[in-house]
Amino acid sequence: MSAPTLDALVSLCKRRGFIFPGSEIYGGLANTWDYGPLGIELKNRVQHEWWKRFVSQRRDMVGIESGILMNPKVWEASGHVSNFGDPLVDCKKCKQRFRGDKLLEEKIGVEGAAVLTLEQVQPMLLAEKIKCPSCEGLDWAIAKKFNLMFRTQQGVIEGEGADIYLRPETAQGMFVNFRNVQQSMRKRLPFGIAQTGTVFRNEITPGNFTFRTREFQQMEIEYFVAPGTEGPIFEQWKDDMWQWCLDIGLAPERLRIREHTKEELSHYSSRTIDIEYKYPWGWGELYGLANRSDFDLSQHQKFSGQEMTYTDPDDPTKKFLPYVIEPTFGLTRTVLAILLEAYEDEKLKEDDTRTVLHLKPIVSPYDLAILPLSKKEHLIAKAEELYKKIVQSSGLHVDFDVTGSIGKRYRRQDEIGTPKCITVDFGTLGEDTAQGEKDTVTIRDRDTLKQERLTIADLLKHLHPPTA
Ligand code: GAP
């Protein structure tokens, strides 16, 4: 299956209610996107699966939900005020701004661009003759560091409120609550804290649909370990993250692991790997895994004046700052990768193609669709009765679609990735044995297109929520 073009996916997402351009009726707001009825179902399912796998089903994990707004000192301690920025270059001719490192990536590679110092960016752009993507000029200003945090004001009186930031990562909420969580939950090392939520970054060059946006969602884990034990734990998380990618339906040939070079490491990290996905425009980051050592806890201890140490329950004389392994997952980026992976324009016959999303059942917006063959009232009533039974007995998410020909409805369900369709017809009612026996229905498989006739009793017996 070849990767779809981004345009094809964007069009399907709008047409079928997955993702809409933000504020569209006002002409939009660049690079903002709203999740529609099916997009939110898919995203919620990914988040739910993630939480189930990494929090609910593990004794060594707990979750929290911290605020988006935090004391500004948090961001001084974390290093975001001084270090969280990208090299920005202005085109002197058309006054447009770009990320200098991104402009250079094609010429000198991702790793090469990531290690450039601020002073090197403009001379390198000129040496490599990189033209302005907007006006094709070659007149770059000196690069400046641009802090990516969104700044806002707290308080009702303009000008009198304190400057605060919208959080650029969920991680710090977990670090500042380390002692609260450890003590209230009586956790022993190693243990992890997880949270999911919205973060904000004033990206200089957002784009590629939802790949890089200024508002997005993360699912992060801070896994606290005794110093010296982090090596094998890092490897285990690498394997667990890889397996997660496979279980949500990403193909191994479109996944790879990239180790960060020393020069490329973030200010807090002593080792980082990225799990990269092959997007239609090339390889790019999907997830990250970092060894943050005791950087964050020691910084918060220093800036807050509060002790952040852990006391060994077996030997209370041993007090130390735990090390942290951080598996980080972009939720909105996961949704994009899943959709890209699942999309296919499939040729069925010489003159017949269909668009289909081969979504894994654990993430598809609907588990099933019930399609009454015609709009006859008593047939719809029978289909509705079945709908209620299925929803109440299995907890599955079921679509009910009566509009259009049965062929068109099958195609619509293929496009939104519904794994199975159930057709209720006059056979089901006992009115037409040519269609089937009384109290039987047709079940159609999205991927194989095979249709089977089975009794409603058998159907109900075999329905259960999908598992990875
Ligand atoms: N706490 C560490 C941290 O935030 P990061 O690599 O900056 O690390 C984590 O971000 C994940 O968030 C990335 O792996 C990616 O999936 C996602 N992400 C980062 N920037 C993004 C953006 N502008 N738009 C969408 N997702 C983004």
Side-chain angles (χ1 to χ4, degrees):
M1 224 165 68
S2 58
T5 65
L6 198 57
D7 286 349
L9 183 71
V10 174
S11 157
L12 174 112
C13 282
K14 175 152 195 251
R15 192 169 73 246
R16 291 302 184 197
F18 282 91
I19 302 174
F20 307 125
S23 319
E24 196 180 13
I25 61 166
Y26 288 100
L29 174 67
N31 299 295
T32 61
W33 301 95
D34 294 339
Y35 287 78
L38 298 191
I40 187 63
E41 290 296 341
L42 169 51
K43 185 146 72 73
N44 282 348
R45 279 201 136 173
V46 173
Q47 189 173 356
H48 177 75
E49 273 306 309
W50 184 90
W51 193 270
K52 193 170 84 188
R53 170 176 304 220
F54 293 118
V55 186
S56 314
Q57 295 182 345
R58 291 181 59 138
R59 287 174 51 217
D60 58 344
M61 292 287 308
V62 287
I64 65 162
E65 185 177 292
S66 66
I68 286 175
L69 302 178
M70 301 180 80
N71 189 309
K73 283 206 184 118
V74 168
W75 308 111
E76 283 174 39
S78 69
H80 282 82
V81 170
S82 47
N83 289 313
F84 191 58
D86 287 329
L88 185 80
V89 284
D90 284 347
C91 168
K92 289 203 239 167
K93 200 169 147 209
C94 72
K95 315 283 180 233
Q96 293 267 3
R97 291 188 159 171
F98 301 92
R99 257 181 78 173
D101 55 337
K102 289 281 155 205
L103 292 177
L104 282 159
E105 270 181 5
E106 214 173 280
K107 278 275 158 79
I108 62 172
V110 178
E111 286 94 342
V115 300
L116 288 175
T117 63
L118 201 56
E119 294 71 37
Q120 287 171 323
V121 173
Q122 185 238 30
M124 187 71 96
L125 284 168
L126 296 175
E128 294 289 344
K129 299 202 172 25
I130 308 276
K131 291 190 179 157
C132 168
S134 174
C135 71
E136 303 243 310
L138 187 58
D139 196 2
W140 296 112
I142 299 279
K144 284 181 257 169
K145 191 96 164 176
F146 176 77
N147 194 292
L148 297 184
M149 282 197 295
F150 271 98
R151 200 193 295 239
T152 185
Q153 286 212 323
Q154 179 162 279
V156 287
I157 303 167
E158 213 174 312
E160 284 188 10
D163 273 352
I164 52 170
Y165 301 97
L166 303 183
R167 67 177 174 194
E169 60 172 14
T170 61
Q172 296 304 323
M174 296 182 270
F175 292 125
V176 301
N177 280 298
F178 166 70
R179 293 263 288 183
N180 282 338
V181 173
Q182 192 265 320
Q183 289 173 356
S184 61
M185 302 304 288
R186 297 173 296 119
K187 287 312 245 187
R188 280 171 168 246
L189 295 182
F191 77 93
I193 309 178
Q195 81 164 322
T196 69
T198 302
V199 302
F200 302 86
R201 295 182 188 177
N202 202 358
E203 298 281 2
I204 302 162
T205 44
N208 284 333
F209 196 23
T210 55
F211 176 77
R212 184 172 289 108
T213 48
R214 294 190 171 115
E215 173 187 346
F216 58 98
Q217 282 153 1
Q218 291 185 321
M219 308 183 286
E220 293 199 291
I221 292 164
E222 305 306 329
Y223 198 76
F224 300 91
V225 306
T229 63
E230 64 274 19
I233 293 176
F234 189 100
E235 292 305 318
Q236 185 59 52
W237 273 110
K238 185 164 93 177
D239 294 348
D240 291 351
M241 292 177 85
W242 186 265
Q243 190 57 46
W244 159 261
C245 293
L246 303 183
D247 289 344
I248 56 172
L250 305 182
E253 62 273 19
R254 273 188 285 277
L255 289 167
R256 73 176 185 192
I257 286 179
R258 191 176 70 76
E259 185 94 34
H260 282 210
T261 60
K262 271 214 172 66
E263 295 77 14
E264 198 187 342
L265 291 173
S266 310
H267 60 275
Y268 53 74
S269 174
S270 57
R271 183 184 173 196
T272 295
I273 59 156
D274 283 347
I275 295 186
E276 295 190 332
Y277 183 72
K278 198 169 187 191
Y279 300 93
W281 57 92
W283 290 99
E285 179 180 345
L286 176 64
Y287 302 143
L289 174 63
N291 177 355
R292 294 180 80 125
S293 67
D294 61 1
F295 175 84
D296 301 272
L297 290 181
S298 79
Q299 285 291 99
H300 287 306
Q301 182 163 276
K302 197 161 113 198
F303 278 70
S304 69
Q306 304 284 319
E307 202 172 329
M308 300 298 281
T309 51
Y310 171 83
T311 307
D312 185 341
D314 299 325
D315 179 359
T317 61
K318 277 197 198 151
K319 275 187 173 196
F320 57 91
L321 287 172
Y323 268 34
V324 174
I325 302 298
E326 180 192 64
T328 175
F329 305 68
L331 170 57
T332 38
R333 208 173 270 187
T334 306
V335 170
L336 175 63
I338 287 175
L339 286 168
L340 284 165
E341 185 73 46
Y343 184 103
E344 186 184 17
D345 282 321
E346 186 185 2
K347 192 163 188 172
L348 296 173
K349 285 193 228 119
E350 200 40 55
D351 55 351
D352 190 14
T353 52
R354 66 165 181 162
T355 299
V356 53
L357 288 185
H358 298 284
L359 293 170
K360 280 264 185 146
I362 51 161
V363 298
S364 62
Y366 292 115
D367 298 296
L368 286 176
I370 296 192
L371 315 175
L373 188 66
S374 92
K375 281 189 178 158
K376 287 259 174 358
E377 245 173 62
H378 66 308
L379 188 71
I380 290 186
K382 179 78 181 170
E384 269 173 350
E385 190 190 304
L386 179 61
Y387 171 87
K388 277 195 197 129
K389 261 192 204 151
I390 293 179
V391 171
Q392 282 162 7
S393 66
S394 66
L396 294 183
H397 197 192
V398 187
D399 193 14
F400 191 90
D401 191 0
V402 284
T403 41
S405 72
I406 191 73
K408 282 206 176 118
R409 280 182 275 159
Y410 279 150
R411 290 294 163 87
R412 175 176 175 272
Q413 295 298 332
D414 290 344
E415 282 202 9
I416 65 176
T418 309
K420 306 268 184 204
C421 286
I422 292 167
T423 309
V424 176
D425 55 26
F426 294 97
T428 319
L429 294 171
E431 293 179 6
D432 184 351
T433 46
Q435 290 185 348
E437 299 292 314
K438 188 169 187 307
D439 287 326
T440 63
V441 288
T442 299
I443 182 157
R444 171 192 181 265
D445 184 271
R446 175 195 69 201
D447 297 332
T448 63
L449 298 174
K450 279 206 183 112
Q451 300 198 7
E452 247 186 287
R453 196 80 189 174
L454 76 174
T455 63
I456 290 179
D458 269 349
L459 173 75
L460 292 174
K461 230 187 281 165
H462 291 110
L463 289 179
H464 47 78
T467 47

